Amino acid sequence: QLEGLYAFRFEVDRALEVGRRAVEVASPLGLGEVHAAALLQLGFIHAIAGDATSLEAAVEAGLRVAGGNPESLAIAWGHARATYSLLAEDRARAAEQLDVAMGWARQAPGVSGVFPALWVLLRVLDGAGREVVEQFAELEAPAIPMNRAVVRLAEAVIAGREGEAREAEALLGAADAALQLKASEGVRHLARRLVAEAAIADGWGDPVGWLSEAMAFFERSGHERVAAACRDLLRQAGRRVSRTTSPDLPQSLRAAGVTSREADVLRLVGERLSNREIAERLYLSPRTVEKHVERLLQKTGAETRVDLGRIARRAFVAAERT
């Protein structure tokens, strides 16, 4: 349960910590279902971290423990693999994986996870109507509040498509409030990023506001492909937008394409802080800081972290002098 709590908030490091502890405890006690669930949840966490190799290793280990039962297969395909594809902005592959997951879920009606609702949302975004909502209702998945919220978003898309803007906005408002209440920021912003496309096309809601918030969230979490998709959609909506930059960002860093969040990390690298110390200072995960550092090395041309620190000190000292 703690794995899921931290994972849905995109707190990858805390999720991995408690997940590995769950595996370590469940295995020697012979708690097969708990052991399998913990491994499959680790797959979901690795999906959020963008680590496909670790995702597959965790999923395959979980399926071996579970013996390949339908519920475990549904979670493997829908909860872990499809999440990875969505965060990689591979919608077509995510839809295929969710179809596989739903095939298994129909053999295990009590299956847990938000993927049945994401299946509904993607099908509706691809042109399906209320029939997929009815198919979803046949499962026990609606008992999960997060699932109900995401399906409301799908219903909002249908209402907007039918010209019922007020109904669409009311449904989205209710869904958004429920997702905030469940502290599932990652799912909330991902779902709103998906819904924004339909809202732009059909002329309802505040897609610019949703996309601006989602872009900032995914820039902070290190999910650059989703952040880039948000930027593209904002441009389609007529909003001029670029990577987030700070007005006092040194010109040398701005020219290299460094974002304001990357600049925050770079400044602290210049102060010789470790990734964990930077993470604590900026309220990020060490994994996210690591990704920022990797991108900073590429953008600045620095070969080592020491070189990166020198670049940071030169850039910020020069900026302070001017």
Side-chain angles (χ1 to χ4, degrees):
Q1 292 300 317
L2 285 172
E3 276 184 277
L5 171 68
Y6 293 130
F8 281 121
R9 294 158 88 173
F10 279 35
E11 296 180 22
V12 171
D13 292 285
R14 296 182 76 180
L16 287 173
E17 179 185 349
V18 297
R20 288 166 179 155
R21 193 158 67 234
V23 171
E24 290 169 2
V25 171
S27 179
L29 292 176
L31 300 174
E33 288 187 24
V34 177
H35 187 191
L39 286 165
L40 292 169
Q41 192 78 292
L42 280 176
F44 175 56
I45 298 163
H46 288 306
I48 293 170
D51 186 345
T53 301
S54 297
L55 180 165
E56 288 301 328
V59 162
E60 292 301 328
L63 292 176
R64 283 195 298 272
V65 174
N69 67 64
E71 180 175 1
S72 297
L73 285 160
I75 291 170
W77 282 97
H79 195 53
R81 289 169 175 150
T83 296
Y84 178 88
S85 296
L86 281 172
L87 291 171
E89 282 295 317
D90 191 343
R91 288 264 296 279
R93 184 166 178 77
E96 292 172 358
Q97 290 166 329
L98 287 167
D99 281 342
V100 174
M102 289 299 290
W104 290 112
R106 291 185 183 96
Q107 300 179 41
V111 67
S112 62
V114 74
F115 69 87
L118 286 171
W119 173 79
V120 172
L121 181 56
L122 260 62
R123 291 291 299 274
V124 166
L125 289 170
D126 286 340
R130 300 185 189 280
E131 69 276 4
V132 294
V133 177
E134 293 170 3
Q135 291 175 42
F136 168 81
E138 295 171 2
L139 303 172
E140 292 180 22
I144 302 173
M146 199 181 305
N147 270 332
R148 292 201 301 272
V150 174
V151 169
R152 278 200 188 102
L153 292 174
E155 291 174 323
V157 171
I158 295 170
R161 187 186 300 157
E162 295 173 347
E164 300 292 339
R166 287 188 179 179
E167 181 184 353
E169 289 162 10
L171 285 163
L172 186 136
D176 205 49
L179 289 171
Q180 288 189 71
L181 184 65
K182 297 299 290 183
S184 49
E185 285 299 283
V187 173
R188 174 174 172 255
H189 286 298
L190 181 60
R192 294 207 301 177
R193 169 261 174 278
L194 294 168
V195 169
E197 291 185 41
I200 291 170
D202 297 323
W204 61 273
D206 179 25
V208 168
W210 312 332
L211 288 166
S212 297
E213 289 183 19
M215 180 184 69
F217 176 85
F218 288 115
E219 284 182 343
R220 290 195 303 271
S221 67
H223 293 90
E224 179 53 32
R225 291 184 183 179
V226 187
C230 292
R231 287 193 288 271
D232 288 343
L233 287 167
L234 281 166
R235 293 187 188 104
Q236 288 179 34
R239 176 64 59 90
R240 292 186 62 185
V241 65
S242 61
R243 291 174 183 272
T244 305
T245 56
S246 171
D248 60 353
L249 188 65
Q251 180 57 38
S252 61
L253 300 181
R254 186 181 288 109
V258 173
T259 68
S260 62
R261 177 54 83 181
E262 288 168 348
D264 292 339
V265 171
L266 181 60
R267 187 187 292 273
L268 296 178
V269 169
E271 294 178 16
R272 299 181 176 84
L273 272 64
S274 69
N275 283 359
R276 185 164 290 281
E277 290 169 329
I278 294 171
E280 291 173 356
R281 184 80 64 88
L282 298 179
Y283 301 99
L284 299 171
S285 73
R287 171 68 176 166
T288 298
V289 173
E290 182 182 332
K291 288 184 176 180
H292 283 316
V293 171
E294 288 173 2
R295 284 195 288 272
L296 284 164
L297 288 167
Q298 294 171 356
K299 290 180 179 182
T300 62
E303 294 185 1
T304 67
R305 190 184 183 96
V306 173
D307 292 337
L308 194 60
R310 292 195 190 103
I311 289 171
R313 288 188 288 275
R314 283 199 302 270
F316 290 111
V317 168
E320 288 168 3
R321 285 175 180 168
T322 58

